[in-house]
Amino acid sequence: MDDVDRQILAELQKDGRLTLTELAERVRLSVSPCHRRLRALERSGAITGYHAALNAPALGLGFEALVFVTMRYEDRQTVAAFEAAVTEIPHVLQVQRLFGDPDYLLRVVTRDLEAYRRLYDERLASLPGVQRLSSTLVMANLVEARPLPL
């Protein structure tokens, strides 16, 4: 990856809806070489997709919690069952497996506290292998979806 590839990635992080012509102009390439580089970045996995950024509170999802999960058992089968089950819960936006204690960090959004309580009681607490859940409520998101430093 060279400086031109990094420029392409930086421009796409700012605006993923750029046309190929606009992108080529911004990185000072003709369209054909820009297109080849873009496809190579996609094939290499450097670009994993193109997405719209949505405003959760505007969509009625104004309650956010971080949930720390400590597992009772950490054998392969239990971990695989937990990971398969937690990824099926639509309100869980992020799941990170951690070293040490706790074992996982979940980012969860719901409509309100009551909806979160139901999700917690009915889905999160019954995930395979869970020993303990600990929640922290998010007061404000100060930095979210920041572009990767290139």
Side-chain angles (χ1 to χ4, degrees), residues 112-132:
D112 54 25
L113 178 60
E114 178 56 23
Y116 176 69
R117 185 200 58 75
R118 279 194 313 277
L119 179 73
Y120 186 98
D121 291 346
E122 296 169 11
R123 302 284 303 273
L124 299 177
S126 64
L127 287 167
V130 171
Q131 176 180 349
R132 184 177 66 245

Side-chain angles (χ1 to χ4, degrees), residues 43-150:
R43 281 192 304 275
S44 75
I47 297 172
T48 59
Y50 300 89
H51 313 276
L54 304 180
N55 181 325
L59 298 170
L61 297 168
F63 187 87
E64 184 174 343
L66 300 177
V67 182
F68 300 95
V69 180
T70 301
M71 300 294 287
R72 176 175 293 114
Y73 307 108
E74 295 185 64
D75 60 274
R76 237 183 264 175
Q77 186 175 4
T78 303
V79 166
F82 170 83
E83 290 179 358
V86 76
T87 59
E88 293 298 317
I89 302 171
H91 287 85
V92 177
L93 300 186
Q94 289 181 305
V95 179
Q96 295 176 317
R97 188 170 180 193
L98 309 173
F99 279 108
D101 187 35
D103 298 300
Y104 292 89
L105 172 60
L106 316 180
R107 181 174 166 234
V108 178
V109 296
T110 61
R111 184 179 64 257
D112 54 25
L113 178 60
E114 178 56 23
Y116 176 69
R117 185 200 58 75
R118 279 194 313 277
L119 179 73
Y120 186 98
D121 291 346
E122 296 169 11
R123 302 284 303 273
L124 299 177
S126 64
L127 287 167
V130 171
Q131 176 180 349
R132 184 177 66 245
L133 299 173
S134 176
S135 300
T136 299
L137 305 182
V138 175
M139 289 175 49
N141 286 307
L142 303 179
V143 176
E144 194 170 9
R146 174 180 280 164
L148 292 174
L150 299 172

